[in-house]
């Protein structure tokens, strides 16, 4: 006799396909694995800018996404009106948010038609779990319970902490003020969410601690990011001497900040000591200043979006991750571990990943980055040993099969806790 699957409504702030960038990768692969044990309905907002970089057209990408996601979802709804936010509209919305109790982070995704669709499906269907994949979506989902359903809120990052760091780092006094106001609003919203949702899922123990400090509520379940190890079929490492690599979507502030920091603060000293070193920076939508920099320095390769990144992963001698902001678990690092690339990283970029100096070279300043890169380039035996240990961590703890099991435990444990209570 077949077991009846429990029903899960997954509400997403983007169409989780293709599994290229961090958010898309995590959501797609967890949904794919969870579909084995849950009956999933997927409701998505439609962020055009997250689809178009990977396809010849937006329409082609949307069609492909629908075909692929329908393999794993019983029902799929994609908001027909794409989310398009120009620089001018962002500026206007930012200005308006200064006079509102609601943060910019939720208002830019506030869509009445989408909220109505979610209410309608909850009115007509009986779900066991409602998973909201970002606090930015909170204005689209009523916190009122329907029948016995459980409400779960996901945090890819702790948004208040990210904005607080930006407020501290920027030298622009106006931006410092705007970021600080946004930080206070997000912190308040996180406290409200801790009361309205039955469970909150975070990507790392560090994020759980930060959210606990923000809300005073500590019943968070850690579900880290992962890697689809099926992608390693046929992969073969062939590192080229003095080839560095960074991968990350280049319209996300922490990635852009990391690359600017590395090229401005680390690269000149590294090039002086190692003139032959080359770096590939892969990620869609690189800003103009980085593209221009690459034109003046042929050893800096700003590649933009690359359809097939395997050749770059294969030839990289060292993966650098100078990210100094953002939360969660950095998918790009787990990907580097899975491909056995030695890594030099800022400790912040390793938050949520259970590694130490046996697995990576840590660097908290430009000189440490230079020394860490040189050490790995000069001692291939040490580099190979470190990358092998990092691979073993990734394989044991960060495959999406393991991650999906942890996610399922986070849902099922609520039922157990209710019975005990």
């Amino acid at each position: 006799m077949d077991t009846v699957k429990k029903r899960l409504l997954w509400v997403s702030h983007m169409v989780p396909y293709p599994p290229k960038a961090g958010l898309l990768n995590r959501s797609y692969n967890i949904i794919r694995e969870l579909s084995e044990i849950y009956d999933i309905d997927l409701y998505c907002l439609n962020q055009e800018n997250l689809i178009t970089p990977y396809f010849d057209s937006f329409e082609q990408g949307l069609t492909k996404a629908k075909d692929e996601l329908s393999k794993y979802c019983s029902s799929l709804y994609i908001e027909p009106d794409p989310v398009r936010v120009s620089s001018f509209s962002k500026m206007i919305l930012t200005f308006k948010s200064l006079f509102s109790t609601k943060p910019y982070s939720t208002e830019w995704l506030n869509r009445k038609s989408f909220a109505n669709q979610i209410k309608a499906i909850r009115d007509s269907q009986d779900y066991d779990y409602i998973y909201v994949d970002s606090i930015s979506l909170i204005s689209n989902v009523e916190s009122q319970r329907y029948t016995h359903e459980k409400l779960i809120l996901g945090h890819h990052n702790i948004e208040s902490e990210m904005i607080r760091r930006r407020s501290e780092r920027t030298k622009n006094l106006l931006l410092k003020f705007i970021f600080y106001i946004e930080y206070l609003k997000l912190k308040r919203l996180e406290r409200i969410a801790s009361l309205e949702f039955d469970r909150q899922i975070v990507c790392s123990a560090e994020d759980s601690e930060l959210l606990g400090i923000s809300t005073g509520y500590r019943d968070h379940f850690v579900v880290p990011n992962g890697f689809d190890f099926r992608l390693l079929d046929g992969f073969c490492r062939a590192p080229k001497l003095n080839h560095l690599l960074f991968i990350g979507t280049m319209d996300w502030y922490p990635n852009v900040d990391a690359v600017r920091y590395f090229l401005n603060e680390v690269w000149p000293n590294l090039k002086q000591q190692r003139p032959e070193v080359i770096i590939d920076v892969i990620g869609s939508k690189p800003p103009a200043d980085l593209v221009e920099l690459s034109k003046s320095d042929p050893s800096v390769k700003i590649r933009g979006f690359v359809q097939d990144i395997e050749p770059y992963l294969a030839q990289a001698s060292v993966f650098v991750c100078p990210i100094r902001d953002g939360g969660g678990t950095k998918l790009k690092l787990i990907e580097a571990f899975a491909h056995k690339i030695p890594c030099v990283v800022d400790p912040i970029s390793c938050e949520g990943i259970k590694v130490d100096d046996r697995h990576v070279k840590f660097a908290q300043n430009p000189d440490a980055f230079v020394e860490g890169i040189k050490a790995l380039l000069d001692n291939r035996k040490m580099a190979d040993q470190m990358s092998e240990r990092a691979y073993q961590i990734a394989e044991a703890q960060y495959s999406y099969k393991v991650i999906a099991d942890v996610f399922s435990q986070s849902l099922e444990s609520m039922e157990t806790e209710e019975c005990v209570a």
Side-chain angles (χ1 to χ4, degrees):
M1 181 177 177
D2 292 337
T3 303
V4 176
K5 293 181 178 179
K6 290 185 176 180
R7 303 199 64 201
L8 167 63
L9 174 61
W10 185 297
V11 184
S12 177
H13 59 304
M14 53 22 180
V15 179
Y17 189 84
K20 298 286 187 179
L23 294 175
L24 306 176
N25 189 315
R26 174 183 171 88
S27 297
Y28 169 81
N29 280 292
I30 292 178
I31 288 170
R32 177 177 58 81
E33 292 287 351
L34 287 179
S35 67
E36 297 290 326
I37 51 178
Y38 294 99
D39 185 0
I40 302 175
D41 289 344
L42 175 61
Y43 274 54
C44 314
L45 280 176
N46 184 356
Q47 292 194 51
E48 184 175 353
N49 67 308
L50 295 180
I51 296 176
T52 50
Y54 307 107
F55 299 96
D56 293 334
S57 68
F58 171 63
E59 292 72 20
Q60 180 198 54
L62 204 56
T63 298
K64 179 64 176 175
K66 289 176 180 178
D67 290 344
E68 187 67 22
L69 292 168
S70 293
K71 296 176 183 177
Y72 310 112
C73 301
S74 301
S75 174
L76 172 63
Y77 173 81
I78 299 176
E79 180 69 10
D81 184 23
V83 176
R84 297 186 179 102
V85 184
S86 67
S87 297
F88 178 72
S89 61
K90 284 182 179 179
M91 184 174 64
I92 295 298
L93 188 56
T94 299
F95 178 76
K96 287 182 177 179
S97 73
L98 293 175
F99 304 95
S100 169
T101 58
K102 297 178 180 179
Y104 169 91
S105 302
T106 61
E107 288 308 285
W108 82 281
L109 290 178
N110 188 355
R111 295 292 187 275
K112 187 175 181 179
S113 58
F114 187 58
N116 289 340
Q117 288 291 334
I118 295 170
K119 184 178 186 307
I121 194 67
R122 290 175 72 189
D123 284 340
S124 64
Q125 302 293 324
D126 187 17
Y127 290 106
D128 296 284
Y129 307 107
I130 312 293
Y131 175 70
V132 182
D133 196 33
S134 169
I135 197 168
S136 298
L137 282 169
I138 205 166
S139 59
N140 294 285
V141 182
E142 292 182 0
S143 59
Q144 175 187 347
R145 289 354 181 240
Y146 287 60
T147 62
H148 62 283
E149 66 187 17
K150 300 291 185 183
L151 288 177
I152 304 100
L153 179 62
H155 298 266
H156 292 273
N157 308 280
I158 306 306
E159 299 295 335
S160 64
E161 177 64 12
M162 287 185 64
I163 293 296
R164 185 193 65 79
R165 287 175 176 172
R166 292 189 72 175
S167 178
E168 287 186 349
R169 187 167 291 133
T170 184
K171 294 180 173 61
N172 184 306
L173 294 180
L174 177 59
L175 286 179
K176 187 180 288 290
F177 171 74
I178 291 172
F179 290 150
Y180 186 72
I181 294 299
E182 180 75 358
Y183 156 70
L184 294 177
K185 291 178 185 178
L186 281 167
K187 193 170 181 179
R188 174 179 176 271
L189 185 62
E190 287 163 356
R191 286 196 294 268
I192 292 171
S194 70
L195 300 174
E196 292 184 343
F197 284 78
D198 298 295
R199 168 142 293 163
Q200 300 194 61
I201 291 178
V202 295
C203 293
S204 70
E206 288 83 355
D207 279 5
S208 179
E209 180 67 21
L210 288 169
L211 192 59
I213 293 170
S214 175
T215 65
Y217 178 78
R218 297 181 182 274
D219 184 21
H220 315 130
F221 211 98
V222 177
V223 180
N225 290 319
F227 179 75
D228 182 2
F229 277 80
R230 300 175 306 167
L231 299 177
L232 294 178
D233 292 346
F235 177 78
C236 182
R237 283 275 291 148
K240 292 183 179 180
L241 187 62
N242 298 312
H243 268 62
L244 310 184
L245 178 63
F246 175 86
I247 299 174
T249 306
M250 294 305 293
D251 59 353
W252 193 50
Y253 164 74
N255 288 340
V256 176
D257 173 74
V259 174
R260 284 178 176 147
Y261 164 73
F262 187 82
L263 294 180
N264 291 326
E265 304 294 332
V266 179
W267 191 247
N269 189 14
L270 180 61
K271 284 292 287 184
Q272 187 175 18
Q273 299 185 47
R274 291 296 176 89
E276 65 277 17
V277 74
I278 292 171
I279 185 168
D280 288 308
V281 177
I282 295 176
S284 62
K285 300 182 179 179
D289 63 302
L290 295 181
V291 174
E292 286 302 312
L293 189 154
S294 70
K295 292 178 181 178
S296 63
D297 184 349
S299 61
V300 175
K301 314 288 188 181
I302 306 295
R303 302 286 185 180
F305 169 68
V306 173
Q307 187 68 42
D308 181 11
I309 65 171
E310 278 205 0
Y312 298 96
L313 292 164
Q315 72 182 16
S317 301
V318 174
F319 188 92
V320 295
C321 195
I323 288 180
R324 305 176 294 166
D325 201 351
T329 312
K330 306 302 180 291
L331 280 155
K332 56 184 67 64
L333 266 185
I334 297 173
E335 183 174 43
F337 294 168
H339 288 88
K340 298 186 179 181
I341 308 173
C343 298
V344 182
V345 305
D346 188 289
I348 288 176
S349 68
C350 270
E351 289 177 351
I353 306 176
K354 298 176 182 178
V355 293
D356 54 37
D357 56 11
R358 295 171 300 167
H359 310 92
V360 299
K361 285 283 187 182
F362 289 112
Q364 289 185 284
N365 57 64
D367 289 342
F369 264 102
V370 171
E371 293 306 314
I373 291 166
K374 286 167 52 183
L376 293 178
L377 291 176
D378 289 341
N379 191 334
R380 294 311 305 174
K381 181 178 179 180
M382 176 186 69
D384 290 343
Q385 289 173 341
M386 293 183 79
S387 62
E388 179 62 34
R389 287 192 287 267
Y391 170 82
Q392 291 171 5
I393 290 285
E395 184 181 39
Q397 299 182 23
Y398 298 108
S399 76
Y400 272 113
K401 175 62 178 172
V402 173
I403 301 305
D405 287 343
V406 175
F407 193 104
S408 179
Q409 291 170 22
S410 75
L411 304 185
E412 302 300 329
S413 64
M414 288 190 291
E415 307 290 344
T416 304
E417 291 164 5
E418 192 174 74
C419 290
V420 171

